[in-house]
Amino acid sequence: VLAALPRRRQCPPSMAAVASTAGRQIQSATRVPTRPVPCAWLSSTSARWTTMENGTGPMRLEGEPERDKNHVERLRVADVLDMMTEVTAVHRDVSLNHAIEVLVIHRKGVLLVEGDDGDVLGIFTTRDVLQQIVQFPDRSMALCTSVHEIMTPASRIVYCTPADTVKHVRLLMRSLGVRNVPVVDEHGVVRGIMTAKLAADHSSFFRAKDVGGKAAFMQHIEGHRGLPMGTKLSSDQGLQSFSTLPNDVTSVIDADDEEAIDEYLSVLQKREQAQGRKLLPLRRRRLDLHVGLAALPHPFKRPDGVANTRRDYGPGEEVCTDVRLSEDSHFMSRVRWPTPFSDFVTYVGVADGVGSWRLRGVDPRDFSQRLMHCCAKYLNSSAPEESLSNTDEYTPHPSPLEVLQRAWEMVTREKIVGSCTACIVTLDHQMSQLSYANLGDSGLIILRHIDSEVAGTVYRNRTTPRSDRTSDLRIAFLSQQQLRSFNLPYQLGYVGDEGGRGQVFEEPTDANVTGYSTRPGDIVIVATDGLFDNVELDEICSLAFEWETKWFGGANEGKALPGDDSTETEALNDLAKTLCDRSREFSLDNSRDSPFAILAKDNDILWSGGMPDDCTVLALRVVEGDLIDTQGRSPGAGTGN
């Protein structure tokens, strides 16, 4: 609250002179020899600022000609450097308490951390403050922690350069879930911090394909992780001295601000008392998941390994169909877990074992299969034994990240050598959203019927006339994939007692974790890279539309199929099998370049045709049930499928 409330400060004379020059270009209006102009101050001057008509794009002075879409696409970080506030840094050894004081006094959301030689060692944000404090029962102990113990190290910082476009920076933020990106010039000097707000003011919307998937990762994110060695602050961006900080932080807040804080806290207290710490009443439709499965091994898989080509596998022999030889694994668990929102919860997951372990005499199936088994084992052992008697007291079901973390701990304790990628998905009944944790190049895609005539829909088809469209089923969401480099995904693994696990593989906390709001009728495809490396996203969408037409005669609309639950399972198994079969077909087709081949050529790797691989597909459909009240239960609800 203290950091968010506005301060009333007088405008420096040099700033007032700039503000009086209305109609001047934004670039020249902020290039003054003093401190760069903060965006919050600009909004209060006589020069009024607006954005493009659709609410996106760079800010402009009123009366200035509106920039076209091409200008927004070309706008670079260098063009908005002067709008960034000054960089603030602290020494690595200062305490968390001192860093908080610097954040509040300088009204910052992010600090850089410097070492003794002036190198940038990491970045520290307000989120780090909260994450550190909650770990200590005694909050005063947390404040004594050194900043370097909780900062994000330089090796994991996402940065940009002045030559990057603002749109590219916003895509980095959206893909990796970061809000502050340092700007590093060609000399390794930090020129400023691109914040999420500044990027949002100077860019436009992105499609799902721009954010998720392997190609998007390689095109936009690879090469921007990890600060260059020896990155330093510029000479005018010094450390904040202890002597410049007042003993009492509240001394920088005047009486009016204190009254505003008291009033705000009073409103929160009254609201909490009125609610009695209970959830607000809300009536909505119950959502549920139905699941189907299909899997195929590598077409050239043998009991003793895998052949590189069809010729090596054996001319005239049928390709492999024995799924027991697949290095992919999966689990599907529907657990009785009573809450005010549902009596059951469904989890699904896929894992892709790394085949190169075979060269070391290790079965690549061991780690992936055991990881998925432990996911199901943890869920079954954690489920509450008693039914829900009080809707105000219930045990929330674990998040996908927690499931992955516990399963990984179980597997490593068993000292199972190997590694794999993993993706865990569940339906959060309280938030009505799909939640997932994805590490590596497996992932999920959400397909949804999006009415192109509905104003405000981000993914509307504005080019094809409505009369020429065959379907409004489109990609609503595509999960982000994670790669160290091309064809080297993030992995969970264990190499034995000698190698440990710290620096060799990633950990579950490195997974991409998020949620996406879902609705009845959504089709969710969770799969290993055997699908995404061979089948284009638009092809997946077309196959799902054909499946809908076959089983529902059109859009499925989230309604249950006639008959019992076996009919639903049969239908979704059919969709999963269709996708698996198409992946197998395209992986053996040398007459067309697969998504993997196209991306390989973009990375200067000679590859053509498909990418033979194991393939596992879980097809999910979101269906709606009866009305529920978050403070009550509906009769007969949650019987499950």
Side-chain angles (χ1 to χ4, degrees), residues 7 34 77 136 144 159 197 199 213 278 299 309 343 382 520 526 532 541 591 616 623 628:
R7 310 280 197 274
T34 58
V77 174
F136 285 80
C144 300
Y159 74 99
K197 182 182 184 304
K278 294 182 179 180
T309 65
D343 287 336
S382 303
V526 183
F532 301 116
C541 200
S591 64
T616 299
V623 297
I628 60 172

Side-chain angles (χ1 to χ4, degrees), residues 302-588:
R302 295 169 172 167
D304 59 346
V306 60
N308 292 325
T309 65
R310 179 63 177 268
R311 176 177 296 178
D312 295 337
Y313 181 69
E317 294 187 22
E318 294 293 333
V319 292
C320 180
T321 58
D322 187 354
V323 294
R324 294 174 300 178
L325 300 178
S326 175
E327 292 150 15
D328 286 356
S329 186
H330 70 277
F331 83 96
M332 299 183 294
S333 292
R334 184 169 177 82
V335 185
R336 181 172 179 79
W337 203 298
T339 70
F341 317 100
S342 178
D343 287 336
F344 290 83
V345 61
T346 301
Y347 289 82
V348 300
V350 294
D352 183 2
V354 178
S356 56
W357 280 103
R358 192 178 295 106
L359 301 176
R360 298 193 177 187
V362 175
D363 190 337
R365 298 173 295 180
D366 292 345
F367 194 92
S368 59
Q369 291 179 359
R370 191 59 184 169
L371 183 70
M372 294 294 97
H373 172 80
C374 289
C375 286
K377 180 180 179 180
Y378 172 73
L379 288 168
N380 292 327
S381 62
S382 303
E385 298 179 356
E386 300 179 357
S387 60
L388 187 67
S389 58
N390 185 350
T391 57
D392 295 332
E393 297 179 1
Y394 66 93
T395 304
H397 57 79
S399 68
L401 178 60
E402 181 180 347
V403 175
L404 185 61
Q405 177 75 32
R406 300 307 180 194
W408 174 73
E409 292 173 354
M410 294 166 66
V411 174
T412 51
R413 279 198 301 268
E414 296 175 7
K415 298 183 178 181
I416 297 177
V417 176
S419 62
C420 70
T421 65
C423 180
I424 312 295
V425 183
T426 189
L427 176 61
D428 187 329
H429 293 277
Q430 179 178 356
M431 302 299 295
S432 293
Q433 69 178 16
L434 278 172
S435 300
Y436 74 89
N438 182 49
L439 188 139
D441 56 1
S442 296
L444 66 94
I445 177 174
I446 300 178
L447 306 178
R448 175 176 299 168
H449 285 275
I450 299 175
D451 189 349
S452 298
E453 300 305 316
V454 176
T457 301
V458 176
Y459 304 106
R460 290 161 56 193
N461 184 343
R462 298 174 175 84
T463 57
T464 307
R466 188 170 183 82
S467 58
D468 297 338
R469 300 178 203 149
T470 58
S471 169
D472 277 331
L473 185 65
R474 297 196 182 88
I475 301 170
F477 178 79
L478 177 64
S479 63
Q480 175 204 332
Q481 295 189 0
Q482 299 170 307
L483 306 169
R484 289 191 176 188
S485 60
F486 176 73
N487 207 29
L488 182 59
Y490 282 20
Q491 304 166 37
L492 301 175
Y494 181 75
V495 298
D497 293 333
E498 294 130 5
R501 69 187 185 192
Q503 301 298 322
V504 181
F505 300 109
E506 282 72 31
E507 299 188 359
T509 51
D510 294 313
N512 173 234
V513 179
T514 190
Y516 191 82
S517 179
T518 189
R519 62 182 66 171
D522 282 355
I523 300 172
V524 184
I525 306 299
V526 183
T528 56
D529 62 338
L531 175 69
F532 301 116
D533 282 348
N534 288 291
V535 185
E536 293 280 0
L537 298 177
D538 291 338
E539 177 75 8
I540 295 176
C541 200
S542 298
L543 292 174
F545 175 69
E546 294 174 3
W547 171 82
E548 274 192 320
T549 304
K550 172 183 176 181
W551 285 90
F552 299 90
N556 74 85
E557 298 179 348
K559 305 298 182 182
L561 281 169
D564 55 18
D565 294 334
S566 62
T567 306
E568 186 78 32
T569 302
E570 180 185 357
L572 288 167
N573 285 344
D574 179 49
L575 174 58
K577 184 177 184 303
T578 299
L579 293 172
C580 258
D581 290 343
R582 186 59 58 91
S583 175
R584 165 65 65 87
E585 174 189 348
F586 285 173
S587 71
L588 299 173

Side-chain angles (χ1 to χ4, degrees), residues 104-125:
V104 174
I105 293 173
H106 293 272
R107 302 176 63 190
K108 297 288 186 179
V110 58
L111 301 173
L112 293 182
V113 181
E114 260 192 339
D116 295 329
D117 56 358
D119 285 356
V120 176
L121 303 182
I123 194 168
F124 175 83
T125 69

